[in-house]
Amino acid sequence: MKAVNNIRGKAIKVTAVVALTLGSFLLNANNNNGATGETEKTIKEHVKFPNLILPIKQTEKVEVLFTTSENGKVNFVFAKTDNKEIKADIEKQFSQLTLTKLKANVAYSIVLNFKTI
């Protein structure tokens, strides 16, 4: 039981680090059109990594490239990482997003930093 609680604690910490990194990136990318706040909120609410477990003191940097269609649905996602589990999870979650405030057919990029504490 102690091991399960330990794993859950690590997963929560990793998720928090990802959310903070994602939030700071989107704040820096603000172009004053109001779309950033809503897009940031949507991504924070829908992209989660509860099953991600990295070995202690390991970091993983993943650049995610994506585009949206005219209706805001993410129609292309590419996660740059060698970790196949993280890549599949990120691509699956992003492909389910609808980001209506972003311009269609424009490539967007974010960097997710996973770090065990």
Side-chain angles (χ1 to χ4, degrees):
M1 186 63 145
K2 186 176 181 181
V4 171
N5 288 336
N6 190 19
I7 291 171
R8 284 184 188 155
K10 288 179 183 178
I12 290 170
K13 289 176 185 175
V14 169
T15 302
V17 170
V18 169
L20 291 172
T21 302
L22 182 61
S24 64
F25 171 80
L26 288 174
L27 286 174
N28 288 335
N30 189 1
N31 57 6
N32 295 324
N33 66 0
T36 304
E38 187 173 324
T39 302
E40 175 184 356
K41 183 179 176 183
T42 302
I43 293 173
K44 279 184 179 181
E45 289 175 353
H46 293 92
V47 178
K48 305 288 182 200
F49 301 95
N51 297 326
L52 176 65
I53 299 174
L54 295 174
I56 295 176
K57 296 188 179 181
Q58 180 180 351
T59 61
E60 181 80 27
K61 182 178 179 181
V62 181
E63 183 178 5
V64 182
L65 304 169
F66 65 96
T67 61
T68 59
S69 63
E70 296 294 330
N71 63 359
K73 180 86 173 133
V74 174
N75 58 6
F76 173 79
V77 182
F78 180 73
K80 293 181 181 180
T81 180
D82 293 330
N83 187 323
K84 292 180 182 180
E85 292 174 14
I86 293 175
K87 179 180 176 66
D89 199 18
I90 290 172
E91 289 177 353
K92 178 183 175 189
Q93 290 187 50
F94 266 82
S95 66
Q96 296 171 350
L97 290 175
T98 300
L99 306 169
T100 57
K101 296 293 183 179
L102 297 180
K103 292 182 181 178
N105 302 317
V106 174
Y108 292 93
S109 171
I110 64 170
V111 177
L112 304 175
N113 290 306
F114 299 93
K115 183 184 220 181
T116 53
I117 301 172

